[in-house]
Short mmCIF file of all heavy atoms in Angstrom, two decimals:
data_model
loop_
_atom_site.label_atom_id
_atom_site.label_comp_id
_atom_site.label_asym_id
_atom_site.label_seq_id
_atom_site.Cartn_x
_atom_site.Cartn_y
_atom_site.Cartn_z
N ILE J 135 -28.97 -6.07 -14.47
CA ILE J 135 -28.60 -6.39 -13.09
C ILE J 135 -29.37 -7.62 -12.60
O ILE J 135 -28.80 -8.53 -12.00
CB ILE J 135 -28.87 -5.18 -12.18
CG1 ILE J 135 -27.90 -4.03 -12.52
CG2 ILE J 135 -28.74 -5.57 -10.71
CD1 ILE J 135 -26.44 -4.36 -12.35
N ARG J 136 -30.65 -7.66 -12.86
CA ARG J 136 -31.46 -8.79 -12.41
C ARG J 136 -31.00 -10.08 -13.09
O ARG J 136 -30.95 -11.14 -12.45
CB ARG J 136 -32.94 -8.53 -12.69
CG ARG J 136 -33.52 -7.39 -11.86
CD ARG J 136 -35.00 -7.16 -12.20
NE ARG J 136 -35.83 -8.21 -11.64
CZ ARG J 136 -36.39 -8.17 -10.44
NH1 ARG J 136 -36.21 -7.12 -9.66
NH2 ARG J 136 -37.15 -9.16 -10.01
N ALA J 137 -30.66 -10.00 -14.37
CA ALA J 137 -30.20 -11.19 -15.09
C ALA J 137 -28.88 -11.70 -14.52
O ALA J 137 -28.70 -12.91 -14.34
CB ALA J 137 -30.06 -10.88 -16.58
N SER J 138 -27.95 -10.78 -14.22
CA SER J 138 -26.66 -11.18 -13.65
C SER J 138 -26.84 -11.78 -12.26
O SER J 138 -26.21 -12.78 -11.92
CB SER J 138 -25.73 -9.97 -13.57
OG SER J 138 -25.39 -9.51 -14.86
N ALA J 139 -27.69 -11.16 -11.45
CA ALA J 139 -27.93 -11.66 -10.09
C ALA J 139 -28.60 -13.03 -10.14
O ALA J 139 -28.24 -13.94 -9.37
CB ALA J 139 -28.79 -10.67 -9.31
N GLN J 140 -29.55 -13.20 -11.04
CA GLN J 140 -30.26 -14.48 -11.14
C GLN J 140 -29.33 -15.59 -11.63
O GLN J 140 -29.43 -16.73 -11.19
CB GLN J 140 -31.44 -14.36 -12.09
CG GLN J 140 -32.49 -15.45 -11.91
CD GLN J 140 -33.25 -15.32 -10.59
OE1 GLN J 140 -34.11 -14.45 -10.46
NE2 GLN J 140 -32.93 -16.18 -9.63
N ALA J 141 -28.39 -15.24 -12.53
CA ALA J 141 -27.44 -16.23 -13.00
C ALA J 141 -26.47 -16.65 -11.90
O ALA J 141 -26.00 -17.80 -11.87
CB ALA J 141 -26.66 -15.67 -14.19
N PHE J 142 -26.18 -15.74 -10.97
CA PHE J 142 -25.28 -16.05 -9.86
C PHE J 142 -25.96 -16.95 -8.84
O PHE J 142 -25.32 -17.87 -8.29
CB PHE J 142 -24.82 -14.75 -9.20
CG PHE J 142 -23.66 -14.91 -8.26
CD1 PHE J 142 -22.37 -14.80 -8.72
CD2 PHE J 142 -23.86 -15.17 -6.91
CE1 PHE J 142 -21.28 -14.94 -7.87
CE2 PHE J 142 -22.79 -15.31 -6.04
CZ PHE J 142 -21.49 -15.20 -6.52
N LEU J 143 -27.25 -16.72 -8.59
CA LEU J 143 -28.02 -17.54 -7.63
C LEU J 143 -29.27 -18.06 -8.34
O LEU J 143 -30.38 -17.60 -8.08
CB LEU J 143 -28.40 -16.72 -6.41
CG LEU J 143 -27.26 -16.26 -5.50
CD1 LEU J 143 -27.80 -15.40 -4.36
CD2 LEU J 143 -26.49 -17.45 -4.93
N PRO J 144 -29.11 -19.02 -9.23
CA PRO J 144 -30.27 -19.54 -9.96
C PRO J 144 -31.22 -20.28 -9.03
O PRO J 144 -30.82 -20.89 -8.04
CB PRO J 144 -29.64 -20.49 -10.98
CG PRO J 144 -28.34 -20.90 -10.37
CD PRO J 144 -27.86 -19.71 -9.60
N GLY J 145 -32.50 -20.20 -9.36
CA GLY J 145 -33.51 -20.92 -8.56
C GLY J 145 -34.04 -20.14 -7.39
O GLY J 145 -34.99 -20.58 -6.74
N LEU J 146 -33.43 -18.99 -7.07
CA LEU J 146 -33.91 -18.15 -5.97
C LEU J 146 -34.66 -16.96 -6.54
O LEU J 146 -34.29 -16.42 -7.59
CB LEU J 146 -32.75 -17.66 -5.10
CG LEU J 146 -31.92 -18.74 -4.39
CD1 LEU J 146 -30.81 -18.10 -3.58
CD2 LEU J 146 -32.80 -19.60 -3.48
N SER J 147 -35.69 -16.53 -5.83
CA SER J 147 -36.50 -15.41 -6.32
C SER J 147 -35.99 -14.09 -5.75
O SER J 147 -35.64 -13.99 -4.57
CB SER J 147 -37.97 -15.60 -5.93
OG SER J 147 -38.11 -15.69 -4.52
N ILE J 148 -35.96 -13.07 -6.61
CA ILE J 148 -35.50 -11.74 -6.21
C ILE J 148 -36.65 -10.96 -5.58
O ILE J 148 -37.73 -10.87 -6.15
CB ILE J 148 -34.95 -10.98 -7.44
CG1 ILE J 148 -33.70 -11.69 -7.98
CG2 ILE J 148 -34.63 -9.54 -7.09
CD1 ILE J 148 -33.15 -11.09 -9.25
N ASP J 149 -36.40 -10.39 -4.41
CA ASP J 149 -37.40 -9.56 -3.74
C ASP J 149 -37.40 -8.14 -4.30
O ASP J 149 -38.43 -7.63 -4.72
CB ASP J 149 -37.13 -9.52 -2.23
CG ASP J 149 -37.84 -10.64 -1.50
OD1 ASP J 149 -38.61 -11.37 -2.15
OD2 ASP J 149 -37.61 -10.79 -0.29
N HIS J 150 -36.22 -7.50 -4.28
CA HIS J 150 -36.15 -6.13 -4.79
C HIS J 150 -34.71 -5.76 -5.07
O HIS J 150 -33.77 -6.41 -4.59
CB HIS J 150 -36.78 -5.14 -3.81
CG HIS J 150 -36.03 -5.04 -2.51
ND1 HIS J 150 -36.23 -5.92 -1.47
CD2 HIS J 150 -35.08 -4.15 -2.09
CE1 HIS J 150 -35.45 -5.60 -0.46
NE2 HIS J 150 -34.74 -4.53 -0.81
N THR J 151 -34.53 -4.71 -5.86
CA THR J 151 -33.20 -4.18 -6.16
C THR J 151 -33.19 -2.68 -5.88
O THR J 151 -34.24 -2.02 -5.95
CB THR J 151 -32.82 -4.42 -7.64
OG1 THR J 151 -33.69 -3.65 -8.47
CG2 THR J 151 -32.95 -5.89 -8.00
N GLU J 152 -32.03 -2.15 -5.55
CA GLU J 152 -31.90 -0.70 -5.32
C GLU J 152 -30.46 -0.28 -5.58
O GLU J 152 -29.52 -1.09 -5.47
CB GLU J 152 -32.30 -0.34 -3.90
CG GLU J 152 -31.55 -1.10 -2.81
CD GLU J 152 -32.09 -0.80 -1.43
OE1 GLU J 152 -32.42 0.38 -1.16
OE2 GLU J 152 -32.17 -1.73 -0.61
N LEU J 153 -30.29 0.96 -5.96
CA LEU J 153 -28.97 1.51 -6.23
C LEU J 153 -28.48 2.25 -4.99
O LEU J 153 -29.16 3.13 -4.47
CB LEU J 153 -29.04 2.46 -7.42
CG LEU J 153 -27.70 3.02 -7.93
CD1 LEU J 153 -26.86 1.91 -8.52
CD2 LEU J 153 -27.94 4.12 -8.97
N ILE J 154 -27.30 1.88 -4.50
CA ILE J 154 -26.75 2.49 -3.29
C ILE J 154 -25.30 2.88 -3.54
O ILE J 154 -24.64 2.39 -4.45
CB ILE J 154 -26.81 1.53 -2.09
CG1 ILE J 154 -25.93 0.30 -2.33
CG2 ILE J 154 -28.25 1.11 -1.80
CD1 ILE J 154 -25.70 -0.56 -1.12
N ASP J 155 -24.81 3.77 -2.71
CA ASP J 155 -23.38 4.08 -2.75
C ASP J 155 -22.62 3.11 -1.86
O ASP J 155 -21.58 2.58 -2.24
CB ASP J 155 -23.13 5.52 -2.30
CG ASP J 155 -21.67 5.89 -2.45
OD1 ASP J 155 -21.15 5.79 -3.58
OD2 ASP J 155 -21.02 6.27 -1.44
N ARG J 156 -23.15 2.87 -0.66
CA ARG J 156 -22.54 1.89 0.25
C ARG J 156 -23.52 1.62 1.38
O ARG J 156 -24.47 2.38 1.64
CB ARG J 156 -21.21 2.39 0.81
CG ARG J 156 -21.20 3.83 1.31
CD ARG J 156 -21.69 3.99 2.71
NE ARG J 156 -21.51 5.31 3.27
CZ ARG J 156 -22.44 5.91 3.98
NH1 ARG J 156 -23.61 5.35 4.15
NH2 ARG J 156 -22.21 7.09 4.53
N ASP J 157 -23.33 0.51 2.07
CA ASP J 157 -24.08 0.21 3.28
C ASP J 157 -23.13 -0.48 4.25
O ASP J 157 -21.91 -0.47 4.06
CB ASP J 157 -25.34 -0.63 2.97
CG ASP J 157 -25.02 -2.01 2.42
OD1 ASP J 157 -23.82 -2.40 2.37
OD2 ASP J 157 -25.95 -2.73 2.04
N GLN J 158 -23.67 -1.10 5.29
CA GLN J 158 -22.84 -1.70 6.33
C GLN J 158 -21.87 -2.75 5.79
O GLN J 158 -20.77 -2.93 6.31
CB GLN J 158 -23.72 -2.33 7.41
CG GLN J 158 -22.98 -2.98 8.56
CD GLN J 158 -22.17 -1.97 9.36
OE1 GLN J 158 -22.69 -1.00 9.87
NE2 GLN J 158 -20.87 -2.20 9.48
N TRP J 159 -22.25 -3.45 4.73
CA TRP J 159 -21.47 -4.59 4.25
C TRP J 159 -20.61 -4.26 3.04
O TRP J 159 -19.80 -5.09 2.62
CB TRP J 159 -22.40 -5.76 3.95
CG TRP J 159 -23.41 -5.94 5.04
CD1 TRP J 159 -24.74 -5.68 4.99
CD2 TRP J 159 -23.15 -6.40 6.37
NE1 TRP J 159 -25.33 -5.92 6.20
CE2 TRP J 159 -24.38 -6.38 7.07
CE3 TRP J 159 -22.00 -6.83 7.04
CZ2 TRP J 159 -24.49 -6.76 8.39
CZ3 TRP J 159 -22.11 -7.21 8.37
CH2 TRP J 159 -23.34 -7.17 9.03
N SER J 160 -20.79 -3.09 2.47
CA SER J 160 -20.10 -2.77 1.22
C SER J 160 -19.19 -1.56 1.36
O SER J 160 -19.11 -0.72 0.48
CB SER J 160 -21.11 -2.52 0.10
OG SER J 160 -22.01 -1.48 0.44
N ILE J 161 -18.48 -1.47 2.49
CA ILE J 161 -17.64 -0.31 2.75
C ILE J 161 -16.18 -0.52 2.34
O ILE J 161 -15.38 0.39 2.45
CB ILE J 161 -17.70 0.10 4.24
CG1 ILE J 161 -17.27 -1.06 5.13
CG2 ILE J 161 -19.09 0.57 4.60
CD1 ILE J 161 -17.30 -0.73 6.61
N SER J 162 -15.86 -1.69 1.84
CA SER J 162 -14.48 -1.99 1.47
C SER J 162 -14.01 -1.06 0.36
O SER J 162 -14.72 -0.81 -0.61
CB SER J 162 -14.35 -3.45 1.02
OG SER J 162 -13.08 -3.70 0.46
N SER J 163 -12.77 -0.60 0.47
CA SER J 163 -12.21 0.28 -0.56
C SER J 163 -12.03 -0.44 -1.89
O SER J 163 -11.97 0.21 -2.94
CB SER J 163 -10.86 0.84 -0.08
OG SER J 163 -9.95 -0.22 0.18
N SER J 164 -11.96 -1.77 -1.86
CA SER J 164 -11.81 -2.52 -3.11
C SER J 164 -13.04 -2.39 -4.01
O SER J 164 -12.96 -2.67 -5.21
CB SER J 164 -11.56 -4.00 -2.80
OG SER J 164 -12.69 -4.59 -2.17
N LEU J 165 -14.17 -1.95 -3.44
CA LEU J 165 -15.39 -1.79 -4.22
C LEU J 165 -15.53 -0.39 -4.81
O LEU J 165 -16.46 -0.16 -5.59
CB LEU J 165 -16.61 -2.10 -3.34
CG LEU J 165 -16.69 -3.50 -2.75
CD1 LEU J 165 -17.92 -3.64 -1.86
CD2 LEU J 165 -16.72 -4.55 -3.85
N HIS J 166 -14.64 0.52 -4.48
CA HIS J 166 -14.76 1.90 -4.97
C HIS J 166 -14.85 1.99 -6.49
O HIS J 166 -15.66 2.77 -7.00
CB HIS J 166 -13.59 2.74 -4.47
CG HIS J 166 -13.63 3.03 -3.00
ND1 HIS J 166 -14.74 2.75 -2.20
CD2 HIS J 166 -12.70 3.56 -2.15
CE1 HIS J 166 -14.50 3.10 -0.96
NE2 HIS J 166 -13.28 3.60 -0.90
N PRO J 167 -14.04 1.24 -7.27
CA PRO J 167 -14.13 1.37 -8.73
C PRO J 167 -15.46 0.89 -9.32
O PRO J 167 -15.72 1.13 -10.50
CB PRO J 167 -12.97 0.48 -9.24
CG PRO J 167 -12.03 0.39 -8.08
CD PRO J 167 -12.91 0.38 -6.87
N HIS J 168 -16.29 0.22 -8.51
CA HIS J 168 -17.57 -0.30 -9.00
C HIS J 168 -18.76 0.56 -8.56
O HIS J 168 -19.89 0.28 -8.96
CB HIS J 168 -17.78 -1.73 -8.48
CG HIS J 168 -16.80 -2.72 -9.01
ND1 HIS J 168 -16.87 -3.23 -10.28
CD2 HIS J 168 -15.71 -3.29 -8.42
CE1 HIS J 168 -15.88 -4.08 -10.47
NE2 HIS J 168 -15.16 -4.14 -9.36
N ARG J 169 -18.53 1.55 -7.72
CA ARG J 169 -19.64 2.33 -7.17
C ARG J 169 -20.23 3.27 -8.22
O ARG J 169 -19.51 3.74 -9.10
CB ARG J 169 -19.18 3.12 -5.94
CG ARG J 169 -18.66 2.25 -4.82
CD ARG J 169 -18.35 3.07 -3.58
NE ARG J 169 -17.52 2.32 -2.66
CZ ARG J 169 -17.99 1.41 -1.79
NH1 ARG J 169 -19.28 1.17 -1.73
NH2 ARG J 169 -17.16 0.76 -1.00
N PRO J 170 -21.55 3.57 -8.04
CA PRO J 170 -22.49 3.03 -7.05
C PRO J 170 -22.77 1.55 -7.31
O PRO J 170 -22.51 1.04 -8.39
CB PRO J 170 -23.73 3.90 -7.24
CG PRO J 170 -23.66 4.36 -8.66
CD PRO J 170 -22.21 4.54 -8.96
N LEU J 171 -23.35 0.89 -6.31
CA LEU J 171 -23.61 -0.55 -6.39
C LEU J 171 -25.10 -0.82 -6.46
O LEU J 171 -25.91 -0.09 -5.88
CB LEU J 171 -23.02 -1.24 -5.16
CG LEU J 171 -21.53 -1.04 -4.88
CD1 LEU J 171 -21.17 -1.66 -3.53
CD2 LEU J 171 -20.68 -1.65 -5.99
N HIS J 172 -25.45 -1.87 -7.16
CA HIS J 172 -26.82 -2.36 -7.17
C HIS J 172 -26.95 -3.45 -6.11
O HIS J 172 -26.26 -4.47 -6.17
CB HIS J 172 -27.19 -2.93 -8.55
CG HIS J 172 -27.29 -1.90 -9.62
ND1 HIS J 172 -28.46 -1.23 -9.91
CD2 HIS J 172 -26.35 -1.42 -10.49
CE1 HIS J 172 -28.24 -0.39 -10.90
NE2 HIS J 172 -26.98 -0.48 -11.27
N ARG J 173 -27.80 -3.21 -5.12
CA ARG J 173 -28.05 -4.20 -4.07
C ARG J 173 -29.29 -5.00 -4.44
O ARG J 173 -30.38 -4.44 -4.60
CB ARG J 173 -28.23 -3.51 -2.72
CG ARG J 173 -28.44 -4.49 -1.56
CD ARG J 173 -28.36 -3.79 -0.22
NE ARG J 173 -29.33 -2.73 -0.10
CZ ARG J 173 -29.28 -1.78 0.83
NH1 ARG J 173 -28.28 -1.75 1.71
NH2 ARG J 173 -30.21 -0.85 0.90
N VAL J 174 -29.11 -6.32 -4.58
CA VAL J 174 -30.20 -7.21 -4.98
C VAL J 174 -30.50 -8.16 -3.83
O VAL J 174 -29.64 -8.94 -3.42
CB VAL J 174 -29.82 -8.01 -6.24
CG1 VAL J 174 -30.99 -8.90 -6.67
CG2 VAL J 174 -29.43 -7.07 -7.38
N SER J 175 -31.71 -8.07 -3.29
CA SER J 175 -32.12 -8.89 -2.15
C SER J 175 -32.98 -10.05 -2.63
O SER J 175 -33.89 -9.86 -3.45
CB SER J 175 -32.90 -8.05 -1.14
OG SER J 175 -32.13 -6.95 -0.69
N PHE J 176 -32.68 -11.24 -2.09
CA PHE J 176 -33.42 -12.45 -2.45
C PHE J 176 -34.35 -12.84 -1.30
O PHE J 176 -34.16 -12.44 -0.15
CB PHE J 176 -32.45 -13.59 -2.76
CG PHE J 176 -31.71 -13.42 -4.06
CD1 PHE J 176 -30.63 -12.56 -4.16
CD2 PHE J 176 -32.09 -14.13 -5.19
CE1 PHE J 176 -29.95 -12.40 -5.35
CE2 PHE J 176 -31.43 -13.98 -6.39
CZ PHE J 176 -30.35 -13.11 -6.47
N SER J 177 -35.32 -13.69 -1.63
CA SER J 177 -36.34 -14.06 -0.66
C SER J 177 -35.79 -14.87 0.50
O SER J 177 -36.37 -14.90 1.58
CB SER J 177 -37.46 -14.85 -1.36
OG SER J 177 -36.92 -15.99 -2.01
N ASN J 178 -34.66 -15.56 0.30
CA ASN J 178 -34.08 -16.37 1.38
C ASN J 178 -33.14 -15.59 2.28
O ASN J 178 -32.50 -16.15 3.17
CB ASN J 178 -33.36 -17.58 0.79
CG ASN J 178 -32.08 -17.20 0.07
OD1 ASN J 178 -31.91 -16.05 -0.35
ND2 ASN J 178 -31.19 -18.16 -0.10
N GLY J 179 -33.01 -14.29 2.05
CA GLY J 179 -32.14 -13.46 2.88
C GLY J 179 -30.78 -13.18 2.27
O GLY J 179 -30.04 -12.34 2.80
N ASN J 180 -30.44 -13.85 1.18
CA ASN J 180 -29.17 -13.54 0.51
C ASN J 180 -29.24 -12.17 -0.13
O ASN J 180 -30.29 -11.75 -0.63
CB ASN J 180 -28.86 -14.59 -0.56
CG ASN J 180 -28.32 -15.87 0.03
OD1 ASN J 180 -28.82 -16.35 1.04
ND2 ASN J 180 -27.31 -16.44 -0.59
N VAL J 181 -28.12 -11.47 -0.14
CA VAL J 181 -28.03 -10.17 -0.79
C VAL J 181 -26.78 -10.16 -1.66
O VAL J 181 -25.69 -10.53 -1.21
CB VAL J 181 -27.96 -9.02 0.24
CG1 VAL J 181 -27.80 -7.68 -0.47
CG2 VAL J 181 -29.21 -9.01 1.11
N LEU J 182 -26.94 -9.74 -2.91
CA LEU J 182 -25.82 -9.59 -3.82
C LEU J 182 -25.60 -8.10 -4.11
O LEU J 182 -26.56 -7.33 -4.16
CB LEU J 182 -26.07 -10.32 -5.14
CG LEU J 182 -26.25 -11.84 -5.08
CD1 LEU J 182 -26.48 -12.39 -6.48
CD2 LEU J 182 -25.03 -12.50 -4.45
N TYR J 183 -24.35 -7.73 -4.31
CA TYR J 183 -23.99 -6.37 -4.70
C TYR J 183 -23.33 -6.44 -6.06
O TYR J 183 -22.35 -7.18 -6.24
CB TYR J 183 -23.04 -5.74 -3.67
CG TYR J 183 -23.66 -5.60 -2.30
CD1 TYR J 183 -23.74 -6.69 -1.43
CD2 TYR J 183 -24.16 -4.38 -1.87
CE1 TYR J 183 -24.32 -6.57 -0.18
CE2 TYR J 183 -24.72 -4.24 -0.60
CZ TYR J 183 -24.80 -5.34 0.23
OH TYR J 183 -25.38 -5.22 1.47
N LEU J 184 -23.88 -5.70 -7.02
CA LEU J 184 -23.38 -5.75 -8.38
C LEU J 184 -22.84 -4.39 -8.81
O LEU J 184 -23.36 -3.34 -8.41
CB LEU J 184 -24.46 -6.20 -9.36
CG LEU J 184 -24.87 -7.69 -9.28
CD1 LEU J 184 -25.90 -7.93 -8.19
CD2 LEU J 184 -25.38 -8.18 -10.62
N SER J 185 -21.80 -4.43 -9.63
CA SER J 185 -21.18 -3.21 -10.12
C SER J 185 -22.11 -2.47 -11.07
O SER J 185 -22.71 -3.07 -11.96
CB SER J 185 -19.88 -3.56 -10.85
OG SER J 185 -19.36 -2.45 -11.53
N SER J 186 -22.22 -1.16 -10.89
CA SER J 186 -23.01 -0.35 -11.81
C SER J 186 -22.26 -0.10 -13.11
O SER J 186 -22.82 0.47 -14.05
CB SER J 186 -23.37 0.99 -11.16
OG SER J 186 -22.20 1.73 -10.87
N ARG J 187 -21.00 -0.53 -13.18
CA ARG J 187 -20.17 -0.28 -14.35
C ARG J 187 -19.96 -1.53 -15.20
O ARG J 187 -19.81 -1.44 -16.42
CB ARG J 187 -18.82 0.30 -13.92
CG ARG J 187 -18.98 1.59 -13.12
CD ARG J 187 -17.64 2.16 -12.71
NE ARG J 187 -17.82 3.40 -11.94
CZ ARG J 187 -17.96 4.60 -12.47
NH1 ARG J 187 -17.98 4.73 -13.80
NH2 ARG J 187 -18.11 5.67 -11.72
N THR J 188 -19.90 -2.71 -14.54
CA THR J 188 -19.64 -3.96 -15.28
C THR J 188 -20.78 -4.96 -15.17
O THR J 188 -20.76 -5.98 -15.85
CB THR J 188 -18.36 -4.63 -14.78
OG1 THR J 188 -18.56 -5.09 -13.44
CG2 THR J 188 -17.18 -3.66 -14.82
N ALA J 189 -21.75 -4.70 -14.29
CA ALA J 189 -22.89 -5.60 -14.02
C ALA J 189 -22.44 -6.93 -13.43
O ALA J 189 -23.20 -7.90 -13.40
CB ALA J 189 -23.69 -5.85 -15.30
N GLU J 190 -21.22 -6.98 -12.88
CA GLU J 190 -20.72 -8.19 -12.25
C GLU J 190 -21.09 -8.22 -10.76
O GLU J 190 -21.18 -7.17 -10.12
CB GLU J 190 -19.20 -8.27 -12.36
CG GLU J 190 -18.66 -8.35 -13.76
CD GLU J 190 -17.15 -8.27 -13.77
OE1 GLU J 190 -16.63 -7.18 -13.46
OE2 GLU J 190 -16.52 -9.29 -14.07
N VAL J 191 -21.25 -9.41 -10.21
CA VAL J 191 -21.41 -9.56 -8.77
C VAL J 191 -20.06 -9.31 -8.12
O VAL J 191 -19.06 -9.96 -8.47
CB VAL J 191 -21.93 -10.96 -8.42
CG1 VAL J 191 -21.99 -11.15 -6.90
CG2 VAL J 191 -23.31 -11.19 -9.03
N VAL J 192 -19.99 -8.38 -7.18
CA VAL J 192 -18.73 -8.04 -6.53
C VAL J 192 -18.73 -8.36 -5.03
O VAL J 192 -17.68 -8.30 -4.39
CB VAL J 192 -18.39 -6.55 -6.75
CG1 VAL J 192 -18.10 -6.28 -8.22
CG2 VAL J 192 -19.51 -5.64 -6.25
N LEU J 193 -19.90 -8.71 -4.49
CA LEU J 193 -20.00 -9.04 -3.06
C LEU J 193 -21.27 -9.84 -2.84
O LEU J 193 -22.30 -9.57 -3.47
CB LEU J 193 -20.04 -7.76 -2.22
CG LEU J 193 -20.24 -7.91 -0.71
CD1 LEU J 193 -19.05 -8.61 -0.07
CD2 LEU J 193 -20.46 -6.54 -0.05
N ASP J 194 -21.18 -10.84 -1.97
CA ASP J 194 -22.38 -11.60 -1.60
C ASP J 194 -22.43 -11.77 -0.09
O ASP J 194 -21.40 -11.86 0.58
CB ASP J 194 -22.41 -12.96 -2.30
CG ASP J 194 -21.30 -13.89 -1.81
OD1 ASP J 194 -20.23 -13.37 -1.42
OD2 ASP J 194 -21.47 -15.11 -1.86
N THR J 195 -23.64 -11.75 0.46
CA THR J 195 -23.83 -11.97 1.89
C THR J 195 -25.06 -12.84 2.10
O THR J 195 -25.98 -12.83 1.28
CB THR J 195 -24.02 -10.65 2.67
OG1 THR J 195 -25.33 -10.13 2.42
CG2 THR J 195 -22.99 -9.62 2.28
#
Side-chain angles (χ1 to χ4, degrees):
I135 293 299
R136 293 179 74 90
S138 294
Q140 200 69 75
F142 193 90
L143 293 177
L146 298 180
S147 59
I148 295 176
D149 270 355
H150 65 276
T151 66
E152 56 186 320
L153 186 67
I154 64 168
D155 185 57
R156 46 84 171 138
D157 65 6
Q158 181 64 57
W159 315 108
S160 57
I161 57 180
S162 171
S163 59
S164 65
L165 299 178
H166 289 350
H168 295 284
R169 300 185 196 278
L171 304 173
H172 291 271
R173 182 169 58 195
V174 182
S175 302
F176 289 78
S177 57
N178 70 338
N180 282 43
V181 177
L182 298 180
Y183 297 80
L184 288 84
S185 170
S186 62
R187 303 180 180 275
T188 68
E190 297 174 290
V191 176
V192 293
L193 176 66
D194 67 331
T195 74

